[in-house]
Amino acid sequence: MGSSFFVSADQQHGASWPFSTEQLIEAVTRLWPGSDVAGALDDFLELDIQADDRSLPFSWQVEYQVLIFPDQDPLSEPAQIVHRLLRELAPGIPAVWWTEFDATLEPIDLSPDPEPFIRQLAG
């Protein structure tokens, strides 16, 4: 605990996400009503996503299109959010995740079932 997870398109292999920051905000507020977004559309956004009566903190680094969330217990909830967002906004785009303490890029399984990605992230 105490670390952060990072998610982005697999830029090392030429992938980029086709969605805008505005589309990300729209998806978050539509998929998780009651969620809050704060910050600058051209810099860094704080996303307070309301899921299952719990508030989950995420950040969006606009320039590099990186989604960030803190290590927390259980990791299944933020993993489900990431999976659902990417299936909604960029289903065919290769994506990767890594931690700040180990910058090894790991592919994200965006198959319809979120369980493989949840198991991979939660270890």
Side-chain angles (χ1 to χ4, degrees), residues 1 6 12-13 16-17 20 25 46-47 50 54 73 75 86-87 91 96 99 104-106 110 120:
M1 295 277 225
F6 300 81
Q12 286 189 333
H13 292 100
S16 64
W17 281 335
S20 67
I25 292 168
E46 296 297 332
L47 309 168
Q50 299 297 316
R54 186 170 168 205
D73 192 25
L75 273 174
L86 296 183
R87 294 262 316 152
V96 293
T99 62
T104 302
L105 301 180
E106 299 290 343
L110 289 178
Q120 181 188 32

Side-chain angles (χ1 to χ4, degrees), residues 5-122:
F5 290 86
F6 300 81
V7 176
S8 77
D10 190 354
Q11 297 171 4
Q12 286 189 333
H13 292 100
S16 64
W17 281 335
F19 57 87
S20 67
T21 298
E22 291 83 359
Q23 289 170 313
L24 173 71
I25 292 168
E26 185 280 326
V28 164
T29 55
R30 177 175 42 83
L31 295 171
W32 297 280
S35 295
D36 189 38
V37 178
L41 290 178
D42 61 349
D43 187 26
F44 204 80
L45 294 178
E46 296 297 332
L47 309 168
D48 186 30
I49 298 178
Q50 299 297 316
D52 299 327
D53 298 325
R54 186 170 168 205
S55 178
L56 299 168
F58 284 80
S59 300
W60 175 249
Q61 206 290 328
V62 176
E63 181 179 358
Y64 299 106
Q65 291 191 308
V66 176
L67 189 64
I68 306 162
F69 61 95
D71 190 1
Q72 55 198 286
D73 192 25
L75 273 174
S76 59
E77 291 175 322
Q80 289 172 340
I81 289 170
V82 168
H83 188 270
R84 187 166 179 198
L85 266 177
L86 296 183
R87 294 262 316 152
E88 176 85 13
L89 295 170
I93 305 300
V96 293
W97 70 273
W98 67 96
T99 62
E100 65 186 326
F101 62 84
D102 178 12
T104 302
L105 301 180
E106 299 290 343
I108 295 177
D109 182 342
L110 289 178
S111 60
D113 181 8
E115 287 304 314
F117 173 58
I118 292 169
R119 281 193 307 273
Q120 181 188 32
L121 188 71

